[in-house]
Amino acid sequence: MASQNTAARGAGDRILSIDVVRGMAVLGILLMNIVAMGLPTYVYINPIYGGGTTGADFWAWAINNVFTDGKMRALFTMLFGASAMLIAGRAESGTGLGPVQTHYRRLFWMFVIGMIHAYFFFLGDILVTYALAGALVFPLRRLDPRLLIGLGGALLAALFVWHWSDAGQMNTLMAAAMAPDADEAARNAWAQASQGFLPPPGFSEQETAMFRGGFLEALEARARVAALLQISIPIDAGPEAVGQMLIGMGLFRLGFFSLGWSTRAYLVMMALGYAIAAPFAALQTWMIHAAGFEPLRTHELMVWQSITRPFIALAHASALLLIVRAGLFRSLVSRLEAAGRMAFTNYLMTSVITSLVFCGYGLGLYAHLSRAELLWVVAGVWALILLWSRPWLARFRYGPLEWVWRSLVQWKRQPFRKAAA
């Protein structure tokens, strides 16, 4: 099961199948990020706060809620864990920096670039989280792969129990705050606990005005939310990323991402994701809609949906890996591979492009498009990524930001252009 199928290999020391899956993930993650890019922050949490809850807008939310929300991020994070293993292996067999130096230098520069990204381009940056989580998981890389997967799953299960318990306390806090004789302490406790899913009065209107303003106004609005999200990393995003990275490291060691599994094993993974986890997520989605998107009920049900993320993510990966193995859709697979090889550039450039589309110093479309209309922007960015990545790599060794990153890690200018044939 752990052998690497030669069909998974690309040019040089690349593993084609990993790049293809990463290409799908970097495209898919935009389906949810676009909501935080083009609409007020709390719309991402609950569509009742904007973007539309009926017709095409409802279906755009519902389908993404089942198949992409949290799932593409989970897959992207697992692939980061897999890549850490791959790069460490290359460093161990090379003559330059060792695996430890390579890894932690990569994380240092990822953290720096992530901070710039979060405050200047996209408040929902994931790179800072990856840098911090990646520092924790690397010392565990030599553990048995099944133990890595078990530890990752146990951490995600513990995080679910914590969120489930926290959500269960919300009704008590709300009842105490809404009681006729509620004191200030009770009201403050509810306000503090509910800020994760209830926007403060006037917050969305102020945020919209600032993003439609000039560069400095958008910077201030972005910084407010980015700082709050980064504060939550140690207790929320960080543990989730650690758990998913550990699973990705274990799966890489077992050959999952390099086509080392049997076709039957990939089909079993697809069945777990599509026949069990997806219907469960769809049920939760229907229950949220049936409750009229009531904020507290929505929050409670979203906690349960976290269980489905790794299974649906791996089902997506399994389906694409079987397509690669079968040699189907070769042109699309080739373009996904190129997009995956340039995932760092494509992820960051997506934020640059969308900031110019939505902010007042660009086209100023922030909060002007509905949730369904945002998908046209997604389609445009996807087309750009798929069209430009392969021609670029035909001429250059790396994507432009991958080259900058490598040069910073090595602290010397790396080869960039490919030699003429």
Side-chain angles (χ1 to χ4, degrees), residues 76-227:
F76 209 44
T77 310
M78 291 179 198
L79 287 165
F80 184 86
S83 296
M85 298 290 288
L86 182 62
I87 292 168
R90 291 174 185 164
E92 286 173 345
S93 60
T95 58
L97 296 173
V100 175
Q101 275 190 303
T102 299
H103 181 75
Y104 285 100
R105 284 192 185 189
R106 281 170 55 84
L107 294 186
F108 171 78
W109 289 111
M110 173 178 278
F111 180 87
V112 172
I113 294 169
M115 292 295 285
I116 296 170
H117 178 232
Y119 289 88
F120 285 88
F121 299 106
F122 177 46
L123 53 85
D125 165 78
I126 197 66
L127 300 180
V128 170
T129 302
Y130 283 3
L132 298 175
L136 297 175
V137 302
F138 192 70
L140 305 177
R141 68 190 185 281
R142 299 187 188 279
L143 293 178
D144 181 86
R146 291 170 180 80
L147 179 57
L148 287 170
I149 294 171
L151 288 173
L155 184 55
L156 294 180
L159 190 62
F160 162 75
V161 171
W162 181 78
H163 282 306
W164 174 74
S165 176
D166 182 66
Q169 296 175 12
M170 291 294 177
N171 284 309
T172 302
L173 290 173
M174 184 178 70
M178 300 302 173
D181 58 345
D183 57 20
E184 185 176 355
R187 290 192 293 269
N188 289 339
W190 167 244
Q192 180 69 24
S194 64
Q195 67 178 355
F197 58 91
L198 282 177
F203 180 87
S204 296
E205 292 78 9
Q206 184 183 35
E207 189 178 38
T208 298
M210 295 178 76
F211 273 114
R212 289 179 181 175
F215 179 81
L216 292 179
E217 288 85 356
L219 180 65
E220 182 183 350
R222 196 179 294 115
R224 290 180 181 179
V225 180

Side-chain angles (χ1 to χ4, degrees), residues 7-11 14-21 257 324 333 337:
R9 291 283 174 180
R14 307 291 308 192
I15 297 181
L16 179 148
S17 54
I18 290 181
D19 288 328
V20 173
V21 177
F257 292 110
V324 174
V333 166
E337 179 202 4

Side-chain angles (χ1 to χ4, degrees), residues 1 5 256 259-271 318-319 321-323 325-326:
M1 192 182 236
N5 191 315
F256 175 83
L259 285 178
W261 287 24
S262 67
T263 296
R264 179 182 178 183
Y266 287 118
L267 289 173
V268 169
M269 186 61 72
M270 290 173 62
S318 296
L321 288 167
L322 289 181
I323 288 173
R325 171 173 284 173

